[in-house]
Amino acid sequence: MTDADAVDPDELALEEPTAEPRVLITPTGVVVPIVADLTDAYSVLTPCGNRAQVVWGTPIAQADIVLDPGHGGAVETGAVGPNGLTEKELNLDLAKRTARILEGRGVTVVLTRTADYRVPLSTRAEIANVLEVEALISIHHNAPNANTSPTPGTEVFIQNGSDESARLGGLLQEEIVEALDQFDITWSVSTGPGAIVVLNDSGDDAYGMIRRPEMPAVLAELGYLSNPFEAELFATDRYREVAAEALADAIERWLTTDDPGSGFRDEPRIFTPSGGTGGTDGCVDPDLG
């Protein structure tokens, strides 16, 4: 993955964002950061990083957690399973299920993406940053196939030097692996699954959804969509129910306990993402209503 700034920070500084509300859910359900509350409209930052005015919607002043369904839109499908299941579809469904569970437990949640449209990494992070949430969890499924394993090859990427990101990642690793281990299939696994710090060649956090948020953030790769056995499982309601419950349980434990989590890798992985995803090139904004 690569990412690019959607808006020049100096340009954003021309207007001081309002303290309340901080994001808007537009009439079409798109979540956008509010730049300014005008007399008869909201000035917002669109998913593609443009300025727009929206007359009405649902303003959001606060949230506990941001869930980030990875990928989205015609170009950024993410991984595609042998059965045709796309990662963007799977991530979004899982995020919505997890949000419903958390909301039922009294945890307020905002999603960075609510339908099949593209959202650059910069805008995803900005939604979490303006809301000043407790944590951001980016939901993904992996590719390509690695080694076979009798146990899930879940990986959770954590922020370098953040104890709370590490604790959240360890709890997610713990809950997801325990929950998925009930499924008797052949899993894919990398050489080093677990809760992992991933650094680029410059020594920074490699992934934009780890590096950009100003709060504890993690990126969870629950399994390998490229594995035909896992792809078949991921298409089922049962998997999605179990996985959403595991995500919600880990997040709730992080919010309400001091549990340390487990599954940590001792050494960071060195990896510099490449490719054309994550930035604003060719981005087309969805209808904001």
Side-chain angles (χ1 to χ4, degrees), residues 1-4 71-72 74-78 118-121 272-283:
M1 281 186 282
T2 62
D3 54 287
H71 305 285
V75 176
E76 295 189 15
T77 61
R118 184 172 171 184
V119 186
L121 304 187
T272 299
S274 61
T277 63
T280 59
D281 290 349
C283 188

Side-chain angles (χ1 to χ4, degrees), residues 2 12 28 31 38 41 50 57 66 95 114-115 138 155 160 173 219 229 284:
T2 62
L12 275 179
T28 55
V31 179
L38 306 176
N50 302 306
V66 160
T114 58
S138 191
E155 297 180 332
N160 186 32
Q173 182 72 21
L219 190 156
F229 300 105
V284 177

Side-chain angles (χ1 to χ4, degrees), residues 145-213:
N145 286 5
N147 305 303
T148 59
S149 170
T151 57
T154 304
E155 297 180 332
V156 183
F157 305 137
I158 59 179
Q159 291 167 326
N160 186 32
S162 170
D163 291 342
E164 284 304 298
S165 172
R167 191 169 73 87
L168 176 58
L171 291 171
L172 285 162
Q173 182 72 21
E174 195 172 279
E175 291 285 352
I176 294 168
V177 171
E178 181 179 354
L180 299 190
D181 206 30
Q182 67 182 272
F183 297 109
D184 185 18
I185 65 169
T186 299
W187 299 91
S188 283
V189 63
S190 74
T191 55
I196 314 163
V197 169
V198 184
L199 302 178
N200 59 27
D201 291 340
S202 300
D204 299 319
D205 285 310
Y207 296 110
M209 290 314 299
I210 300 296
R211 187 175 63 253
R212 289 177 176 275

